[in-house]
Every structure is written in structure tokens, then in C-alpha cells.
Amino acid sequence: MGNTVIVGTQWGDEGKGKIVDLLSEHADYVVRFQGGNNAGHTMVVNGKEIISHLVPSGIIQQKKCFIGNGVVVDPLVLLEEIEYLLSNDIDASPAMLKISNRAHIIMPYHKLIDNARETDKGDKKIGTTGRGIGPCYEDKATRRGIRFCDLLDFDFFKEKVRIILKEKNFYLKNYFKSQTIDPETIINSFEQIRKRLLPYIADVSVILFEGINNDKRVLFEGAQGTHLDIEHGTYPFVTSSSVVSGNAANGSGVGPANLNEIIGIVKAYTTRVGAGPFPTELFDDIGDKIQQTGSEFGATTGRKRRCGWLDMVVLRNAVRLNSLTGLAITKLDVLDDLDEIKICTGYQYNGTEIQDFPAEIKILQSCIPVYESHPGWKEDISGITKFDDLPENAKKYLARIEKLCSVRIKIVSVGPGREATIIKEKIFN
Ligand code: GDP
Ligand code: IMO
Ligand code: MG
């Protein structure tokens, strides 16, 4: 029994939303601790698909949800999402959802700058989601950010907006030759936004502390994946926040001793959206087949996801960086039709085998994956709910993954629906 962190181990879209929804049943509180609406987390319940970008996936099970101080929040997207949830009969009122007073606000100029920079970079672009994530975190670090608590004192908010826009408009106009923004237009739009969001603003850290002291169980919902982490990912082809489990504490305002179980979500193969190195990427029919069978399109931008084989250099890196105590393997069913399934066990670089994920992008780009081959199971596993009922070759594939990274698999997901799940080992008692 304990507080559990869910993190992506690859480049995002591992199926975190599905697993958080599933485990929310056993939690009292569900907290997002980093990222913003660059995330797209999909839940499928009774055949109905719900995608959340900002509100923790625990809202579907109607658990108390929190947006932590480490998240960057676009207030318009949040309000839209609250409406969307309400229209699906999911209560996302202030009684169910709180936003940290310390969370930073994604402002209209953040989105403009994000997109202007990407256009400016041309074919060297990162392939961001264009949601203003990087520029917002940048302002946080340079101490120019606007926080939710600033909305409580609207005169202070107005003053901050007017000051910061002088600099932003200079940059937009003179560097990008782009449109500028009238501060009064922003201020006017925030009159309404503010009124609607004020009841949601709270000191999330204090509420979580009190809850934990009263035996409430907390589920921390990571966004993105370990290899998009600003510190440890394929820099600069990363997002702008720390994605790894250690940040679950910092990004929600609880101490690290409160993190008890850390589950890494692992897609049974690998995908990546946007630019950046991806050693096991497939450029052949098998890659296309995985992309189609897995419906690998981004839940936020709709972009086609690049697909490739499972990479154990990546997974072992995630095991080390996150202190993983268990794995959830998702989308195993997507491999049902394949004759042969490969696992990358290491990289060849300049005639030597590399086991550790390199920091240098140029080295990573030149790494050649070393593969071992496994026979497929050629059977529809999407209806299986007991581990023992899986085909032998599927069990062998899973056992090999466990062996290669020394972490036990606790959950196997065989379909998008909540019911298409095999619990191998209980996470919550
Ligand atoms: P997240 O960002 O990690 O929450 O993942 P996304 O929601 O962006 O992408 C995962 C996609 O795979 C979604 O469309 C899910 O509905 C779907 N999915 C999750 N688990 C499974 C699974 O085990 N099998 C199949 N076929 N689809 C799954
Ligand atoms: P979830 O939570 C997959 C990628 C973008 C881009 C890079 C930087 O659904 O797994 P950003 O807009 O964050 O500055 O873009 O990070 N990216 C994701 N890829 N899943 C995500 O979230 C992602 N969030 C950001 O595609 O390559
Ligand atoms: Mg996603």
C-alpha cells in the first residue's frame, strides 16, 4: 500500500492515461506534476474514448484531482477540458479539481513564440506540439512567469502583463517579424478566465500533505516519457520539463519520501512523435504495419507517430533514472500478427558495443541497434485477462524483457479498454 508514480519510459504515448485510469480505482487523489497540454492521455471506458490534456486521468473514476505546481497550464484549454468532461457527465467542478497557486500560466505570447521559433528553425525544428510549453517554462526559469496566484491580485497581474509584453512584443516584432499582442486585449480576456478559474486555485502542496497524513493514497500521473526529459532525454529534442519520477515530488509539492511505488509504462515496441534520434526506428513495411495496427497518431496533434522495435538501452536507462519498482507493458496486442519480433539489447558504435544511453546526439544518431529475434505468437490476445492464458511466445517475450532490465512486469495491457488488462502482480492491496 502506498503512493504510486506513473511515468513513461520511452518518448511518450506509452499508454499512461489508460493505466492511471485503471489504478485510480485504488487511489484517493490523482496529481499531474509536470508538462502541460502537450500531453494527450487516452482512456477508453465502456467503449467510449476520453482524451485529457491537463486534468489528471483520475477524473474519469471521479477521484480528487490536482494540477501541481510543476505543470504549465493554458487556462483556455483547461476551461475547454472542464466543459468537455462535464458534457461527458464527468464532474470536474472545483470540488473535484484543484490547480496549484504556484503553477505557471501559458500566455498567448508563449504559443506565438513557440510556433515562430519552430518556423524559424525550418528543417532543424524540434517538432514541438506548438502549445507554448517551452517558452512558458523558460519564463519560469528566468523569473518572468505569471502564476495562478497572480490571478488572485488582479492589479498585480495587470501590471505584470503590461511589463512583460514590452519585451515579448519587441522580440516578436523585431526578431520574428511576427504579429504583436496588445496587453489590454490579454487583460480583458483574463477578466472572464479569472472569474471562472478562481474557485479552482488552491495550495495543492498543503492539501496533499494533509491528505497523506490522513492515509489518503496518491497517484502521480507523469506526462511525456523519460527520453523527452529536459535533463536526461535526447536534448535538444526534448520537452522543457523534468519528466522522471523524482520530479513527481517537486512538481506536486510533496517530499520524496512520500513516493512508494514507481511504475514505468512501456509500450511493447517504441514510438516517437516529432523530431530527434530514435535508434530502433523502422522505415519498412513492419514499421507501417505497427503504425496502422497500433493506430499510432498523436492524441494531441494528430501527427503520425514514428514506430520501431523495443529498445532495452532506452528501458534500462528509464529503470535507472526513475527507480522503477515495476513495469506495465502496453499494446502487446499490436504485435499479434507479426512472425518475428525484435528486441534491441545494445548499440554498436564505432566497432564497440554500447550499453548506456549516450548524451551526445551525434553519437546516438550513429548508433546501430543490436537485435535479438523472437518468434511471434500469431494469435489474437486482446480478449485475454489472465496471464497464464497468454500464448507461450508472448510469455517468453515478456520474460525476456524482465530479464534484460531486472524489473518485474506487474501489468500487461492488451487493448485500449479498461477491461483489456492483465494484472500480473497487484500494485495496490
Ligand atoms: P499516453 O500519452 O501515455 O497516455 O498515451 P496516448 O493516450 O497518447 O496513446 C496511447 C494510445 O494507445 C491510446 O490511443 C490508447 O487508447 C491506446 N492503448 C493503450 N493501451 C493499449 C493497449 O494495450 N492496446 C491497444 N491496442 N491500444 C492501447
Ligand atoms: P504524452 O503525455 C509524445 C514531444 C513533442 C516534441 C517534443 C517537444 O501524451 O505522452 P513540446 O511541445 O513539449 O515543447 O514538444 O516533445 N512531446 C510528446 N510526445 N507524447 C507526449 O505527451 C509529448 N509531449 C511532448 O512531439 O517532439
Ligand atoms: Mg499521449
Side-chain angles (χ1 to χ4, degrees):
M1 187 172 117
N3 304 315
T4 300
V5 185
I6 301 297
V7 285
T9 57
Q10 294 153 320
W11 279 280
D13 304 326
E14 296 90 351
K16 298 175 291 295
K18 169 180 166 161
I19 303 298
V20 171
D21 167 62
L22 188 84
L23 296 180
S24 292
E25 188 190 340
H26 309 282
D28 301 294
Y29 296 164
V30 185
V31 192
R32 273 280 307 269
F33 55 89
Q34 48 69 232
N37 62 310
N38 47 352
H41 295 179
T42 315
M43 283 70 67
V44 178
V45 182
N46 298 328
K48 191 174 164 75
E49 185 181 86
I50 301 268
I51 298 177
S52 81
H53 300 284
L54 276 169
V55 177
S57 302
I59 201 76
I60 314 292
Q61 300 247 23
Q62 293 283 260
K63 298 302 164 112
K64 292 255 182 331
C65 286
F66 298 89
I67 296 177
N69 54 276
V71 180
V72 288
V73 180
D74 184 328
L76 290 174
V77 174
L78 180 62
L79 286 169
E80 244 173 56
E81 196 160 304
I82 289 170
E83 289 302 321
Y84 162 74
L85 290 167
L86 289 174
S87 70
N88 281 287
D89 296 323
I90 299 162
D91 182 4
S93 68
M96 298 302 296
L97 174 69
K98 292 287 179 219
I99 309 161
S100 168
N101 47 8
R102 291 175 175 82
H104 281 245
I105 302 179
I106 297 181
M107 300 293 285
Y109 45 83
H110 291 138
K111 288 178 267 188
L112 274 183
I113 293 172
D114 191 0
N115 288 301
R117 275 202 191 125
E118 287 283 275
T119 308
D120 193 51
K121 283 199 183 105
D123 62 3
K124 294 203 169 49
K125 69 179 179 190
I126 289 164
T128 72
T129 58
R131 304 302 195 254
I133 305 294
C136 185
Y137 277 116
E138 185 178 320
D139 277 353
K140 178 178 182 172
T142 52
R143 294 154 293 183
R144 287 169 177 77
I146 297 183
R147 300 187 295 167
F148 274 86
C149 58
D150 298 337
L151 291 176
L152 304 176
D153 178 350
F154 205 43
D155 285 336
F156 180 62
F157 173 86
K158 287 181 195 168
E159 191 189 327
K160 274 185 107 166
V161 170
R162 288 184 185 121
I163 292 171
I164 200 161
L165 268 174
K166 283 187 194 153
E167 183 188 316
K168 298 294 175 195
N169 278 337
F170 181 84
Y171 182 47
L172 283 166
K173 184 168 162 224
N174 296 299
Y175 188 77
F176 292 117
K177 313 283 178 240
S178 149
Q179 66 184 104
T180 55
I181 303 181
D182 173 20
E184 301 314 312
T185 310
I186 293 193
I187 288 169
N188 287 341
S189 72
F190 266 88
E191 295 265 13
Q192 283 307 315
I193 293 171
R194 174 178 178 267
K195 277 193 197 124
R196 293 177 65 193
L197 286 181
L198 280 182
Y200 287 92
I201 304 172
D203 195 329
V204 166
S205 168
V206 169
I207 303 175
L208 294 180
F209 185 72
E210 280 169 6
I212 291 169
N213 286 342
N214 284 294
D215 296 326
K216 300 282 187 217
R217 289 203 283 205
V218 187
L219 191 55
F220 297 89
E221 175 175 0
Q224 289 79 55
T226 300
H227 295 82
L228 287 171
D229 183 279
I230 183 83
E231 307 280 341
H232 303 287
T234 45
Y235 191 91
F237 299 98
V238 292
T239 191
S240 297
S241 67
S242 182
V243 167
V244 294
S245 61
N247 196 36
N250 198 29
S252 49
V254 306
N258 291 303
L259 312 180
N260 308 117
E261 177 107 44
I262 300 164
I263 303 296
I265 314 299
V266 186
K267 205 176 266 189
Y269 47 96
T270 311
T271 61
R272 174 164 202 169
V273 210
F278 176 1
T280 62
E281 183 168 10
L282 288 165
F283 299 96
D284 57 8
D285 292 350
I286 297 177
D288 289 344
K289 189 170 179 174
I290 292 176
Q291 195 275 328
Q292 281 156 24
T293 313
S295 305
E296 293 295 355
F297 292 98
T300 296
T301 57
R303 290 177 291 177
K304 229 183 196 184
R305 295 175 182 147
R306 300 153 65 192
C307 296
W309 296 118
L310 183 66
D311 184 338
M312 295 310 294
V313 182
V314 161
L315 186 49
R316 280 193 298 262
N317 202 34
V319 167
R320 191 185 75 256
L321 292 166
N322 294 289
S323 300
L324 298 183
T325 58
L327 304 179
I329 307 287
T330 59
K331 304 193 91 160
L332 191 65
D333 55 300
V334 174
L335 307 180
D336 280 357
D337 283 341
L338 299 184
D339 296 319
E340 182 195 27
I341 299 168
K342 290 185 182 175
I343 300 180
C344 165
T345 54
Y347 302 149
Q348 275 286 335
Y349 174 71
N350 266 352
T352 53
E353 192 164 331
I354 294 185
Q355 289 291 332
D356 296 319
F357 200 72
E360 303 89 332
I361 285 296
K362 277 195 182 153
I363 296 184
L364 192 58
Q365 277 162 340
S366 315
C367 280
I368 301 163
V370 178
Y371 288 115
E372 57 178 39
S373 175
H374 296 262
W377 42 92
K378 307 283 285 175
E379 195 182 316
D380 178 359
I381 61 167
S382 61
I384 294 178
T385 53
K386 291 196 188 83
F387 187 80
D388 287 344
D389 294 344
L390 281 171
E392 279 314 306
N393 283 349
K395 282 191 224 166
K396 281 184 189 159
Y397 181 64
L398 296 173
R400 188 65 186 144
I401 296 171
E402 283 185 328
K403 181 99 203 299
L404 286 168
C405 72
S406 309
V407 181
R408 291 228 291 274
I409 295 170
K410 301 204 171 180
I411 297 175
V412 181
S413 172
V414 293
R418 198 188 272 166
E419 68 293 342
T421 315
I422 299 168
I423 305 292
K424 191 163 171 271
E425 268 182 47
K426 274 192 181 162
I427 290 170
F428 289 103
N429 295 320

